[in-house]
Amino acid sequence: MKLQTTTQNIKILKAYYTPEEYLELEAKADDKNEFRDGEIIAMTGGTTNHNKLALNLATRLNLALDDLNYEVYIGDVKLWIPQYRQFTYPDVMVVGGEPVYYSTNTTTVTNPLLIAEVLSKSTKDYDQGDKFLYYRSIPELKEYILIDQTQYYVMQYVKTGDHQWILTEYVTENAQLNLSTVKLQLPLQQLYKKVNFTENIDL
């Protein structure tokens, strides 16, 4: 299938792109796009609830890890997954120690130990399915958090061994998310602070 990619200055019609071509186009693009083994896929916009949840989690992580050897990234930092040739934009990432960058730029990391995604109607199946498969190929990754934006509901996957992950679900307003890879206990009331379920427009 041919895909048309439009940037501020470049308009190209191709069926397949190299990682280098994608990065060149993405640097000039008006909107964010993912790279999936040669294809460039436009990302949908996020809701205000989506933004609040990602920001709430990143803020709490940043405060808890401020004096420790971790880096917290949100939204605009790309992740490269070499085994599956994927560039993606996780909602929140935590890197232990120094980030390992793709190539010589500082826009793309390769070594998160924790990734969090806020689920939306258009992406939740992908986030729980193929994307999690891709993420699991990252050697450093030990924890994957999925946050529902329509109700109090969080899924936490923790790596316990090679090809072994344990799922814990948090399903009530009074539940407390206990992160495994970093020292943070986060009540869902704080994670969902200012999120208004009645106003949610789920994309």
Side-chain angles (χ1 to χ4, degrees):
M1 180 181 74
K2 291 187 176 180
L3 181 69
Q4 182 171 297
T5 296
T6 303
T7 70
Q8 291 176 333
N9 302 311
I10 302 173
K11 190 173 184 179
I12 296 178
L13 186 66
K14 290 184 64 174
Y16 178 86
Y17 295 85
T18 67
E20 290 72 24
E21 288 173 330
Y22 160 78
L23 290 173
E24 181 180 353
L25 288 168
E26 192 69 358
K28 301 172 183 177
D30 295 320
D31 302 309
K32 294 179 184 176
N33 304 277
E34 293 188 335
F35 177 87
R36 302 180 190 173
D37 194 20
E39 286 191 88
I40 296 177
I41 309 296
M43 296 178 64
T44 59
T47 65
T48 54
N49 280 345
H50 185 290
N51 185 267
K52 289 173 186 176
L53 287 162
L55 186 58
N56 286 346
L57 177 59
T59 299
R60 298 292 177 176
L61 282 165
N62 206 41
L63 289 172
L65 304 177
D66 184 49
D67 295 325
L68 302 175
N69 193 22
Y70 294 95
E71 299 286 346
V72 180
Y73 302 111
I74 183 169
D76 291 332
V77 176
K78 292 186 290 294
L79 170 65
W80 167 244
I81 309 170
Q83 181 173 328
Y84 292 96
R85 291 171 47 82
Q86 305 274 326
F87 285 104
T88 186
Y89 287 89
D91 288 324
V92 180
M93 289 188 288
V94 177
V95 170
E98 295 296 321
V100 177
Y101 294 110
Y102 175 86
S103 189
T104 58
N105 66 68
T106 58
T107 64
T108 307
V109 300
T110 64
N111 61 323
L113 63 87
L114 182 150
I115 295 174
E117 297 282 11
V118 179
L119 299 176
S120 63
K121 185 177 181 180
S122 61
T123 65
K124 63 180 181 180
D125 290 340
Y126 177 57
D127 288 342
Q128 296 177 76
D130 285 347
K131 183 179 271 189
F132 187 26
L133 170 68
Y134 305 150
Y135 285 166
R136 293 198 302 270
S137 70
I138 300 169
E140 293 84 359
L141 186 68
K142 299 296 186 291
E143 191 164 8
Y144 186 43
I145 306 296
L146 295 164
I147 305 168
D148 195 310
Q149 63 174 302
T150 66
Q151 60 183 327
Y152 289 101
Y153 182 51
V154 176
M155 289 178 283
Q156 175 192 38
Y157 290 91
V158 176
K159 188 173 184 179
T160 59
D162 290 340
H163 309 294
Q164 293 180 330
W165 293 76
I166 289 180
L167 167 64
T168 302
E169 296 176 289
Y170 303 85
V171 298
T172 66
E173 179 181 358
N174 296 321
Q176 179 170 269
L177 173 62
N178 297 303
L179 295 182
S180 173
T181 52
V182 297
K183 292 184 178 180
L184 178 62
Q185 296 179 333
L186 179 58
L188 261 60
Q189 288 181 338
Q190 293 182 6
L191 177 61
Y192 282 85
K193 186 176 182 180
K194 295 187 178 181
V195 171
N196 188 338
F197 299 131
T198 64
E199 296 181 358
N200 190 74
I201 301 174
D202 194 9
L203 300 177

